[in-house]
Amino acid sequence: MESVAKQKLLALNGDEAVAYAAKQSDVDVAAAYPVTPQTIIVERFSEYVANGEVDTEFVCVESEHSAMTACITASATGARTFTATAAPGLALMHEMLYVASGCRAPVVMTVVNRALSAPINIHCDHSDSMSERDSGWIQIYAENSQEAYDSMIQAFRIAENPEILLPVMVCLDGFTLSHALENVHVLSDDIAKKFVGTRQFPRVTAHEGKDASFRLDPENPISIGPIAFPNYYFEIKRQQEEAMKNAPKIIQQVHEEYAQISGRHYGNGLLDAYCLEDAEIAIICLGSTAGTVKTVVNELRAEGVKAGLLRIRSFRPLPVEGIVKALEKVRAVAVMDRSLSFGGHGGPVFHEVHHALYDTPVHPYIVNYIYGLGGRDTSPSHIRKIYEDLQGILQTQRVEDPVRYVRLRG
Amino acid sequence: MFSEWKFTAKDIAEKADLFMSGHRACAGCAAATVMRLVLKAVRGPIIATSATGCMEVVSSIYPYTSWATPWIHTAFENVAANASGIEAALKILKKKGRIKQQRIDVIAFAGDGGTYDIGIQALSGAVERGHDFLYVLYDNEAYMNTGIQRSGGTPHGASTTTSPAGTVIPGKVQYKKPIADIMVAHDMPYVATASPHYWRDLITKARKGIEVDGPAFLHTFAPCPRGWRSDPSKSIEISRIAVETCIFPLWEAINGEYQLSAPSKVIALRPERKKPVREYLKMQGRFRHLFTPKFEKIIDEIQQLTDKRWQRLLKKCGIV
């Protein structure tokens, strides 16, 4: 843990922590557009550029659609690329998110989670990134600003790994993390830069069967983003799924390697369990809510209640086996969703956890809580109520209403 | 500002094609000719990028490609953002010593739909930011790849699948957007119009657009036999008559200073050479309905509009 001592402790909000990580990651091209609440990321990064603290070409584009576009083509040209966005911006990028993963452009993007319009609302929920869960991007959700910083540094290594070569979204909760000041341990520039390394390019077959590196290089021209008809499209999409399947192993490796230099672990990098080994009742959630849940778990444990938490860090790819294993001994589970899948049965995290368990012998009572939409605060008392509900379910041995809403009027 | 590049027809014929034969463009497609001519103007290595559209679709049907140069396509509305990303990457990678070439030029291609309509935001933004690239608009005056729907570049009176000539409405009611003038209003260093019949003029302008520091915009005229309902063997002839009728005059604006190019200057100096628009319209089935008693007055309107725009151009060029 030699390098742990070398870390500085800085007071940063989530946005600043992300910008700091981007500064240390030898980003070649950043293209971004100001959308609250991620705007601070772009502002801080612009300052780094203005002060010569980074060697980055910063493109201040005219829209989020162009931000993602410029990142894709810069990435294809050989640059390490970074951008940041939030709800409406992410929605505007939607088309290009699929293009990024389809072109196998390892773009790293911070999503500062926030509600989608209408009504317009700048505060936190997960509607934005959950709407993009099928876009072929890896999605990592951070619990706090420290993890947002750490995840950013790891993200470039994951995205650019030739076995993956997929874009990565690092998600952090709007305002709750993005605008809240926190003590954040940061690596020295040298160590961070060394960890991230320089981008490696896989070899591909180019014109006339020539061997070329996978980038736009006039010496070995390749065409990227062609039209593929029914005779080829399907295989290309299947390859993306194969890359996704390679991702859990690499995410864990990078996470472990990072832990060696930072001293910080987040479970196994995919799932982060808290007091779950002997838990009878558990909550599953993403993001900053986990911090609140841990507080309540501590209180309940002091009272002798066997409560636990499973935080999903990697939602894409979803560590299905890990979830099943983690819930083996749990008798009642509450899945918390900070977004709605209108007309579906509960929220997306609930769907996926439920589905993961179906073909297994692991069948705890399971209930869904939709919470915190549009930034509605969820305090320890609300979390405690959920655990009490789970205790009630164990008593009655039945789930009356599987989809519930936290702190909602009438 | 520009090099003294001179070339003969032989030079051009012998210069390697970057847009290669075997693509799937229709017979008589002038856009494909435009692509080939523009790419004859390169001064060294380039990276090309295309908006979704005819020239993208015909050139990149997986696993084949017509591009003998690095090429990328991402979507319809964003080719100028494609170019922005490429140019930004080249700049920084060169600075960091991660690419060998001294200079790589960036050329973006888009049709009228991807330029006048859905692509104008990205184009305007890229030009405002001053990226060093050449944007080539191949204007076939409708969404030809999609099935001949009207665009902001479709001229008044043309029949398309979304502005069909009916018994009441005579084709497109609105007028063609003056896109090149809009680009000049961006205060960009180089804007020009070109027609493939005047191939030497077109190649020269493409080269200037490549050489100029900062963004350049080349508006090329690209007759489309399928969409224009014209004889595939007449595309180049139509691209000449469009200039001779002043439907599509040739000019360039260097740092905002307009000047007529030779083929149009001849007409300015000898107005008797200016042909009536009727000669242009009669070659194309998309205007067939105008040659009926009910809609014939629209030909007069088109003539008046053409004259008005021509006079306005002459004024900008300091002639009159």
Side-chain angles (χ1 to χ4, degrees), chain B residues 29-93:
Chain B
C29 171
T33 306
V34 165
M35 304 289 290
R36 197 169 166 219
L37 293 176
V38 166
L39 290 166
K40 289 286 189 181
V42 302
R43 59 177 165 174
I46 65 153
I47 293 177
T49 182
S50 299
T52 307
C54 289
M55 290 302 101
E56 170 260 331
V57 169
V58 304
S59 66
S60 75
I61 300 176
Y62 188 88
Y64 304 104
T65 182
S66 298
W67 295 91
T69 188
W71 174 85
I72 186 166
H73 155 260
T74 64
F76 197 177
E77 65 274 56
N78 59 352
V79 75
N82 286 353
S84 305
I86 295 165
E87 189 253 13
L90 290 174
K91 207 188 274 182
I92 192 75
L93 293 175

Side-chain angles (χ1 to χ4, degrees), chain B residues 172-203:
Chain B
K172 188 182 170 188
V173 176
Q174 302 81 7
Y175 300 90
K176 187 178 176 78
K177 198 193 275 188
I179 190 74
D181 292 317
I182 291 168
M183 296 323 295
V184 175
H186 281 71
D187 212 0
M188 61 192 292
Y190 189 75
V191 177
T193 67
S195 163
H197 176 267
Y198 305 94
W199 58 272
R200 177 176 287 278
D201 179 70
L202 191 153
I203 293 172

Side-chain angles (χ1 to χ4, degrees), chain A residues 33 91 103 107 126 156 175 239 251 259 306 335 357 368 393 406:
Chain A
Y33 182 83
C103 286
V107 178
H126 295 164
F156 293 100
F175 295 103
Q239 285 178 343
I251 293 171
K306 288 185 173 176
V335 181
L357 298 175
N368 187 204
I393 288 170
V406 178

